[in-house]
Amino acid sequence: SPALLGGEKAGGSHILVKDPTLAQSLLERLQDGPQDNLEDRFAREAGKFSECPSKSKGGSLGTFKPGQMVKEFNAAVFEGPIGAIQGPIKTDFGWHLILVTDRKEKEA
């Protein structure tokens, strides 16, 4: 697909939980606290609550290209804001809070 041409890629973290109420309360807690250390706070909550193995790395998923993640996740990562929490987003795995830490746009 043309999306894979060029250098488009993103880096991010997520918190995966099975309960939408928990996802919402984590989101509110993260949004209500100080935003200057949001990445650190997000990583701490991921370590405590996430049901993904990435929790051992603070929810970090490293860097990935378009199409490597399920489509709902992919849309959030490649179309949503950088440095702001998105979600809760529902996938087959559960409810995700997603924090995009960086993104490289595809070269024209």
Side-chain angles (χ1 to χ4, degrees):
S1 90
L4 293 173
L5 299 173
E8 194 178 10
K9 55 183 194 273
S13 302
H14 78 144
I15 299 171
L16 170 64
V17 294
K18 297 285 186 235
D19 176 7
T21 311
L22 175 59
Q24 190 60 42
S25 64
L26 285 171
L27 174 66
E28 286 166 16
R29 190 153 80 208
L30 286 162
Q31 286 178 333
D32 289 345
Q35 298 302 295
D36 55 351
N37 65 343
L38 181 61
E39 279 187 45
D40 297 338
R41 292 172 45 241
F42 192 93
R44 271 204 302 279
E45 300 288 14
K48 274 190 254 177
F49 293 102
S50 186
E51 298 193 25
C52 177
S54 66
K55 71 183 286 179
S56 64
K57 300 192 295 272
S60 174
L61 296 166
T63 302
F64 39 89
K65 291 189 165 86
Q68 280 185 269
M69 301 289 176
V70 295
K71 76 174 186 307
E72 302 88 346
F73 199 97
N74 195 69
V77 168
F78 287 98
E79 293 159 28
I82 299 172
I85 299 170
Q86 298 175 72
I89 290 169
K90 175 105 170 70
T91 71
D92 291 343
F93 300 101
W95 296 87
H96 303 259
L97 298 179
I98 300 171
L99 180 62
V100 180
T101 47
D102 62 283
R103 183 164 62 217
K104 182 173 187 269
E105 306 298 341
K106 56 180 170 284
E107 282 111 30

